[in-house]
Amino acid sequence: MGETLFDRAKTRLDEATKYLDVEEETVVRLKAPKSVLQVSIPVRMDDGSLKVFQGYRVRYNDAVGPTKGGIRYHQSVTLDEVKTLAFWMTFKCAAVGLPFGGAKGGVTVNPKELSLLELERLSRGYISAIADSIGPDVDIPAPDVYTNSMIMGWMVDEYSNIKRAYSPAVLTGKPIYAGGSLGRDDATARGGFYCLEALKERLRLGKGTLKVAIQGFGNAGYHFAKIANDAGYRIVAVSDSKGAICKEDGLDPESVYKFKQQNRELKAAYCEGTVCEVVDHKRITNAELLELDVDILVPAALENQITKDNAKNIKAKCIVELANGPTTVEADNILAQRGIPVIPDILANAGGVTVSYFEWVQNKQGYYWKLPKVHKELKEYMEDASVEIFNIAEKHGITLRTAAYVSALRRIDEAVKSKGTERQFHVE
Ligand code: GLU
């Protein structure tokens, strides 16, 4: 009651402490963000009027390294949400063993209502407002919901102008010719796919063709559909904010994507070259998609989609969380009781920030990797983390989510301890 998203997120931390001998100081530090910045961003609109947007940047914890996390543009962005997303980033980076702490940014705006020029002015305005609190060794933003490489290109340009120095390592997810990394575009989806492949047998998902339903057809959802389809999985349903499409014998993700680019509409299509033809399919709601009888359910949109109300109706054999926070705490308990494994967000969608880490390393070295190297390194990170987390879950008889938090907390605790805690200074 009166509980915020942030309060609920922190219960996962409390749960993890039961399985680890962790310093009191670590837990206390992880209960509140390191810093919260709220800014007003004045933007000159195309009609000459002035609009002021609210923006946030939360640095949650930097025990492990500089803070890292995306920037979200959405009309429902609030400080509570950004704080929670920054908390999740802290655990995500630690769960896969990246040398980063966690942060997140957001602007309360519906980007679909802005022209491209207004969007550019807003993006530059946001960076100018937070420029003093970010930096290649301090806090490193990236894309998130409704931001992309084009926006990162404007932002890194703005930051470099302010600093009067070429500073590509301040931001990741940049366009390739602005210092981006190959393979960053589909990294979130690819990472989730590598997790699924690494755990498929351990989770006993069967050997036949696996049926997949994906909620969300943005960067993560579309790329997951394409990668899984190419690997022989059958994509039976995908959705966007307006609804879902379903085709039992499988959709062709690339054609659906092409059709959506051309017509701004989600329809089952088949394209040859640029010519697309709509094929037979069913239209269902986003809520119905979540309850489809499939092997793998992939929430790849926003928070709080699987709740106590629909968790009992989920028929999928496994859930792969490409979105951040799609499952509520209550729903998690129901799914655990029903024996439906969830590959949790802080593991399943960590591929994005992992390739962001590679991008940052490449920027710092001025030496750029070929795509096979990016894929190989990403695979290694995701497989190692997946197996480690699976083993922790088996050992304690806990969910993969709690195990991921345990694994992350252990690393954060080591980082806190290595800087000195009361226990070290306590003379008996
Ligand atoms: N926004 C992505 C996430 O939630 C990527 C963050 C990053 O690359 O820093 O993980």
Side-chain angles (χ1 to χ4, degrees):
M1 233 175 291
E3 229 191 6
T4 62
L5 188 65
F6 182 50
D7 292 331
R8 289 194 292 274
K10 283 190 288 183
T11 63
R12 318 264 205 209
L13 164 63
D14 295 327
E15 183 66 21
T17 58
K18 296 181 192 161
Y19 305 96
L20 201 67
D21 177 22
V22 51
E23 290 271 342
E24 186 71 37
E25 287 184 21
T26 303
V27 182
V28 173
R29 278 161 183 252
L30 285 169
K31 289 278 165 118
K34 179 183 170 69
S35 68
V36 172
L37 180 61
Q38 178 168 359
V39 295
S40 296
I41 313 155
V43 177
R44 179 72 55 205
M45 306 303 278
D46 291 347
D47 66 0
S49 66
L50 187 85
K51 247 196 184 158
V52 178
F53 295 90
Q54 289 308 299
Y56 308 92
R57 184 73 189 169
V58 175
R59 297 184 65 210
Y60 198 85
N61 183 280
D62 67 348
V64 178
T67 52
K68 184 89 193 79
I71 298 164
R72 171 173 296 202
Y73 285 177
H74 198 273
Q75 61 272 22
S76 66
V77 161
T78 59
L79 178 57
D80 176 50
E81 183 189 42
V82 178
K83 250 193 310 191
T84 309
L85 288 159
F87 172 89
W88 285 331
M89 280 309 302
T90 305
F91 285 86
K92 186 187 301 183
C93 292
V96 278
L98 305 179
F100 287 140
K104 202 78 171 196
V107 178
T108 314
V109 59
N110 180 353
K112 293 178 190 161
E113 287 173 358
L114 300 190
S115 73
L116 214 54
L117 274 173
E118 289 167 343
L119 197 64
E120 177 175 350
R121 289 194 284 268
L122 172 68
S123 303
R124 289 183 183 272
Y126 174 72
I127 284 303
S128 148
I130 66 163
D132 288 337
S133 78
I134 59 174
D137 297 310
V138 181
D139 180 27
I140 306 136
D144 194 72
V145 172
Y146 289 140
T147 53
N148 56 21
S149 60
M150 176 181 69
I151 293 175
M152 295 305 115
W154 297 331
M155 288 180 166
V156 79
D157 181 55
E158 186 66 25
Y159 185 84
S160 296
N161 289 342
I162 292 168
K163 296 290 168 190
R164 294 195 176 275
Y166 175 61
S167 317
V170 69
L171 271 163
T172 59
K174 300 178 292 291
I176 300 300
Y177 288 97
S181 174
L182 293 173
R184 177 63 184 84
D185 48 356
D186 71 5
T188 305
R190 188 173 294 277
F193 183 71
Y194 288 153
C195 290
L196 176 60
E197 286 280 292
L199 297 180
K200 190 162 93 172
E201 274 171 31
R202 292 177 171 86
L203 297 175
R204 296 186 195 87
L205 294 176
K207 290 219 180 325
T209 304
L210 295 174
K211 289 200 292 179
V212 185
I214 304 170
Q215 186 201 38
F217 206 59
N219 180 53
Y222 157 62
H223 280 118
F224 190 90
K226 184 170 167 356
I227 292 166
N229 184 65
D230 290 349
Y233 289 65
R234 190 191 304 157
I235 315 302
V236 297
V238 299
S239 72
D240 65 9
S241 57
K242 297 192 198 80
I245 55 172
C246 177
K247 191 168 185 291
E248 252 315 295
D249 58 352
L251 295 157
D252 176 39
E254 195 129 29
S255 296
V256 175
Y257 180 75
K258 225 182 235 175
F259 187 88
K260 190 169 170 176
Q261 295 287 94
Q262 286 172 4
N263 305 288
R264 300 186 154 270
E265 228 190 317
L266 191 69
K267 282 216 162 127
Y270 185 72
C271 307
E272 266 188 42
T274 50
V275 184
C276 297
E277 199 181 305
V278 175
V279 293
D280 226 19
H281 66 281
K282 258 197 332 217
R283 265 209 87 80
I284 55 173
T285 63
N286 257 297
E288 285 166 336
L289 177 142
L290 296 175
E291 298 178 13
L292 285 176
D293 189 1
V294 290
D295 298 294
I296 321 279
L297 174 63
V298 183
L302 292 170
E303 299 94 71
N304 296 341
Q305 300 301 304
I306 305 176
T307 64
K308 64 176 180 343
D309 301 320
N310 61 8
K312 51 187 182 302
N313 304 328
I314 302 273
K315 294 176 198 70
K317 295 195 187 75
C318 173
I319 297 173
V320 181
E321 293 184 335
L322 282 193
N324 287 308
T327 310
T328 66
V329 177
E330 295 94 330
D332 232 8
N333 295 336
I334 298 171
L335 295 170
Q337 273 158 23
R338 295 186 55 213
I340 299 175
V342 179
I343 305 182
D345 49 3
I346 62 167
L347 169 64
N349 72 30
V353 70
T354 302
V355 177
S356 275
Y357 165 54
F358 301 161
E359 181 175 331
W360 180 77
V361 167
Q362 293 170 72
N363 292 151
K364 289 202 151 234
Q365 294 190 332
Y367 174 75
Y368 288 85
W369 302 0
K370 300 247 165 54
L371 188 59
K373 178 171 165 77
V374 173
H375 288 170
K376 180 175 163 284
E377 298 268 338
L378 174 63
K379 192 162 188 254
E380 239 170 71
Y381 267 89
M382 300 314 293
E383 280 178 359
D384 289 355
S386 299
V387 172
E388 185 184 356
I389 288 166
F390 182 86
N391 289 339
I392 295 173
E394 288 281 280
K395 179 172 163 207
H396 296 288
I398 54 181
T399 62
L400 290 172
R401 183 174 333 267
T402 304
Y405 275 84
V406 170
S407 164
L409 185 56
R410 185 185 58 75
R411 290 202 181 94
I412 299 169
D413 190 44
E414 288 297 334
V416 169
K417 281 197 290 214
S418 60
K419 290 174 186 135
T421 63
E422 193 196 347
R423 214 185 278 183
Q424 284 176 13
F425 303 116
H426 198 79
V427 188
E428 292 293 332

